[in-house]
């Protein structure tokens, strides 16, 4: 199998899977529908185009830098031209929008070699602008990481830590344990269900199906680490007294 | 002499009382001894090591074995970890010049000062990290050790392997009167220069405020990765 890796980093990201009405939530990790949408945009697909080609991909994400949750309380007004030529403003519903700020994620898609290479190429020169879950959240830096011959779990465990240098320096240990969220096998018990498989992005008939996920962790090297993780920094004077 | 290690549970109500006031913890430690007076061997010294929010360890050095049942009941881990007491004399007798140890010390670095309106001098706490480090470096020869030179500093000169890992200003009441002590917790590597003087420092403590958790120096074997 071949995997294509994407680095999703930006000042704001928003990955909703269950948003309704005026409360637009975000997950703490990128959603499959959001990332497939980004890939579809890069390939120049229209919203009403069929998505079958992409739905066979296995998806996994690693939380390289968790970031912070930000809430935006949003007010909006709609202009209305009156008959006498003046403009009046009517308020739209107040909404709460949630974002993850200053986060870095590694998203990995596993599929056929041809498809993976096509995605990598498309992300490097996208047809439509790329954004991280919401139109107002552009990515910071290149999204494409590259294609490699590996499986999903192997890629998540072997790709280097993508967090910023400052974060890596602050985390002093030589290795770091990162959380992952992956597609689960449909038969596997104990999977968590999220409504996160895009059936159609058609704005008139948007549809999402259920997807089961598993959460895990992987350990990767910290290139800026200086301290040993396993030797605790606790001073133990009992050690020489037969304690 | 005996060295005692006792982990406290900082989330218990009894521990909150003890951790908030060195005066209260002093009384609780002394209550663990039938005779709390100092002897020719040494005196009661204690230190509170806080590593994170859930890990607080009380170390005590004392001429007699303590009984900390009351502390365990109020503020400890009664069913998992009570306290360990170990004979300290073996280590104290085996100290030789030239040995290298990793150490930890919480002290009350002060200087003697006189302000305009005062007619006598009073101990005033050192404030900055530099002053506090210098305080220990100045005293080290008298206390029986010298600081091992660490890796070369930014300017290329080797700096002593000494770090202040925690600094605090404790304010509490003693018989209704306010007490303020500034503490600094030192960690680093020492090399013994005078074994008798270091034995004195280990069993009688260093600096002021010894009743309030200052002055207990403990040593541990240096980590294996240490080139020295």
């Amino acid at each position: 199998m071949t995997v294509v890796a994407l680095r999703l980093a930006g000042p704001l990201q928003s990955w909703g899977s269950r948003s309704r009405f005026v409360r637009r939530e975000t997950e703490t990790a990128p959603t499959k529908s959001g990332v497939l949408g980004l890939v579809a945009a890069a390939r120049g697909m229209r919203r009403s185009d069929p998505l079958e080609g992409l739905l066979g991909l296995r998806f996994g994400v690693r939380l390289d830098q968790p970031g912070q949750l930000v809430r935006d309380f949003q007010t909006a007004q709609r202009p209305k031209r009156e008959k006498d030529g003046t403009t009046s403003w009517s308020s739209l519903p107040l909404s709460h929008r949630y974002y993850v700020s200053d986060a870095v994620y590694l998203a990995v898609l596993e599929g056929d070699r041809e498809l993976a290479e096509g995605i990598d190429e498309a992300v490097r020169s996208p047809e439509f602008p790329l954004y991280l879950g919401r139109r107002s959240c552009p990515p910071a830096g290149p999204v494409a990481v590259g294609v490699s011959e590996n499986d999903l779990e192997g890629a998540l465990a072997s790709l280097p830590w993508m967090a910023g240098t400052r974060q890596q320096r602050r985390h002093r240990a030589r290795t770091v344990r990162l959380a992952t969220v992956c597609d689960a096998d449909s038969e596997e018990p104990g999977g968590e269900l999220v409504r996160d498989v895009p059936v159609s992005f058609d704005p008139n008939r948007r549809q999402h199906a259920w997807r089961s996920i598993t959460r895990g962790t992987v350990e990767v090297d910290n290139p800026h680490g200086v301290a040993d993780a396993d030797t605790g920094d606790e001073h133990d004077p009992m050690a020489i007294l037969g304690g | 002499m005996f060295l005692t290690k006792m982990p406290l549970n900082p989330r218990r109500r009894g521990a909150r009382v003890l951790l908030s006031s060195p005066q209260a913890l002093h009384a609780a430690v002394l209550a663990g001894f039938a005779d709390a007076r100092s002897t020719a061997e040494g005196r009661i010294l204690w230190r509170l090591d806080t590593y994170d929010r859930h890990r607080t360890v009380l170390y005590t050095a004392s001429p007699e074995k303590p009984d900390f049942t009351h502390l365990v009941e109020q503020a400890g881990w009664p069913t998992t970890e009570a306290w360990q007491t170990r004979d300290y004399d073996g280590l104290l007798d085996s100290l030789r010049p030239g040995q290298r140890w990793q150490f930890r010390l919480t002290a009350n670095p002060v200087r003697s000062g006189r302000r305009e309106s005062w007619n006598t001098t009073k101990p005033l706490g050192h404030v900055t990290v530099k002053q506090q480090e210098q305080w220990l470096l100045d005293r080290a020869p008298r206390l029986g050790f010298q600081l091992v030179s660490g890796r070369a500093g930014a300017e290329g000169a080797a700096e002593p392997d000494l770090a202040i890992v925690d600094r605090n200003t404790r304010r509490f009441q003693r018989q209704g009167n306010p007490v303020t002590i500034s503490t600094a917790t030192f960690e680093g590597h020492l090399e013994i220069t005078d074994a008798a003087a270091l034995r004195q420092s280990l069993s009688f403590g260093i600096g002021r405020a010894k009743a309030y958790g200052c002055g207990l120096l403990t040593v541990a074997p240096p980590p294996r990765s240490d080139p020295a």
Side-chain angles (χ1 to χ4, degrees):
Chain A
M1 278 303 202
T2 309
V3 294
V4 53
L6 308 173
R7 178 179 183 270
L8 306 174
L12 288 178
Q13 314 192 23
S14 185
W15 304 98
S17 73
R18 49 166 184 257
S19 298
R20 289 288 179 271
F21 311 117
V22 297
R23 189 182 157 89
R24 313 306 296 187
E25 297 183 3
T26 177
E27 299 290 305
T28 52
T31 54
K32 189 172 190 176
S33 56
V35 173
L36 290 185
L38 178 141
V39 167
R43 289 161 67 102
M45 291 161 64
R46 319 295 307 195
R47 289 218 173 230
S48 49
D49 285 351
L51 286 165
E52 276 76 33
L54 296 177
L55 288 182
L57 291 162
R58 272 192 78 212
F59 174 72
V61 61
R62 191 175 79 190
L63 282 66
D64 281 27
Q65 184 177 312
Q68 280 179 326
L69 190 68
V70 175
R71 189 190 69 157
D72 176 28
F73 174 67
Q74 188 163 330
T75 62
Q77 290 185 317
R78 195 201 320 249
K80 189 185 170 202
R81 179 150 299 209
E82 302 288 348
K83 284 195 183 108
D84 57 1
T86 59
T87 311
S88 72
W89 294 85
S90 60
S91 290
L92 292 170
L94 306 174
S95 69
H96 300 271
R97 282 148 201 258
Y98 290 83
Y99 300 85
V100 182
S101 90
D102 194 28
V104 181
Y105 303 108
L106 175 74
V108 176
L109 293 161
E110 180 194 281
D112 300 334
R113 175 169 195 77
E114 208 176 310
L115 183 60
E117 278 171 357
I119 289 172
D120 189 58
E121 207 171 297
V123 172
R124 283 173 202 274
S125 56
E127 293 272 330
F128 294 114
L130 303 182
Y131 47 87
L132 306 174
R134 194 174 281 162
R135 190 63 181 266
S136 57
C137 307
V143 168
V145 173
V147 176
S148 59
E149 290 295 325
N150 208 335
D151 67 342
L152 189 69
E153 285 76 15
L156 287 177
S158 62
L159 282 163
W161 193 20
M162 306 268 170
T165 310
R166 200 185 158 85
Q167 282 293 324
Q168 296 186 351
R169 287 230 170 86
R170 190 181 291 174
H171 183 94
R172 299 175 55 79
R174 288 205 177 83
T175 59
V176 60
R177 187 162 280 280
L178 302 172
T180 59
V181 180
C182 292
D183 275 347
D185 296 330
S186 50
E187 280 83 40
E188 193 181 321
E192 199 178 316
L193 280 177
V194 281
R195 191 157 203 175
D196 186 30
V197 177
V199 177
S200 167
F201 285 130
D202 188 342
N204 294 323
R205 202 172 48 82
R206 211 179 259 214
Q207 241 186 315
H208 290 89
W210 293 89
R211 162 181 171 234
S212 89
I213 57 172
T214 53
R215 295 176 190 273
T217 56
V218 291
E219 202 159 285
V220 295
D221 288 339
N222 177 8
H224 291 99
V226 289
D228 289 318
D230 50 343
T231 61
D233 50 356
E234 188 170 321
H235 172 77
D236 188 12
M238 306 306 269
I240 35 163
L241 304 175
Chain B
M1 288 292 282
F2 295 92
L3 189 69
T4 306
K5 173 187 186 178
M6 184 177 146
L8 297 179
N9 181 350
R11 277 164 292 180
R12 294 186 65 179
R13 182 181 289 183
R16 301 262 168 104
V17 174
L18 296 176
L19 299 184
S20 63
S21 163
Q23 172 76 14
L25 190 50
H26 165 64
V29 168
L30 290 206
F33 297 91
D35 183 358
R37 286 175 295 184
S38 54
T39 65
E41 252 190 295
R43 60 166 286 165
I44 296 171
L45 294 165
W46 60 268
R47 185 181 76 213
L48 207 56
D49 286 358
T50 306
Y51 293 100
D52 61 41
R53 271 163 51 220
H54 312 302
R55 180 75 178 153
T56 301
V57 186
L58 173 72
Y59 282 104
T60 315
S62 54
E64 299 298 329
K65 273 193 180 180
D67 179 355
F68 283 154
T69 316
H70 62 296
L71 267 180
V72 176
E73 282 166 358
Q74 287 171 46
W77 303 88
T79 59
T80 51
E81 245 184 313
W83 71 90
Q84 313 167 16
T85 300
R86 297 273 180 265
D87 199 333
Y88 210 11
D89 289 322
L91 173 78
L92 294 177
D93 292 338
S94 71
L95 298 174
R96 296 284 176 272
Q99 287 174 349
R100 288 189 172 190
W101 295 100
Q102 196 247 326
F103 74 91
R104 187 172 168 111
L105 162 73
T106 298
N108 172 220
V110 294
R111 71 196 143 84
S112 176
R114 190 162 72 90
R115 296 212 176 116
E116 296 243 325
S117 58
W118 298 355
N119 32 22
T120 52
T121 56
K122 281 186 187 181
L124 300 171
H126 278 306
V127 177
T128 65
V129 170
K130 266 255 149 32
Q131 289 171 348
Q132 291 176 338
E133 282 181 349
Q134 196 56 48
W135 177 88
L136 186 65
L137 290 171
D138 289 345
R139 257 153 205 76
R142 261 190 281 154
L143 300 171
F145 61 88
Q146 65 181 29
L147 275 303
V148 176
S149 299
R151 271 167 288 174
E155 296 86 33
E159 288 172 357
D161 188 351
L162 173 67
I164 292 187
V165 294
D166 193 18
R167 306 167 69 214
N168 240 321
T169 304
R170 304 301 306 268
R171 291 195 176 81
F172 54 94
Q173 299 283 317
R174 180 179 183 270
Q175 293 170 356
N177 301 312
V179 179
T180 306
I181 52 173
S182 67
T183 64
T185 301
F186 300 93
E187 263 192 19
H189 287 81
L190 58 79
E191 187 179 312
I192 303 179
T193 53
D194 180 348
L198 183 63
R199 182 181 176 137
Q200 174 85 10
S201 325
L202 286 169
S203 43
F204 284 93
I206 293 170
R208 299 179 64 99
K210 293 190 189 91
Y212 297 134
C214 295
L216 173 59
L217 173 74
T218 53
V219 293
R224 271 173 306 239
S225 60
D226 196 49

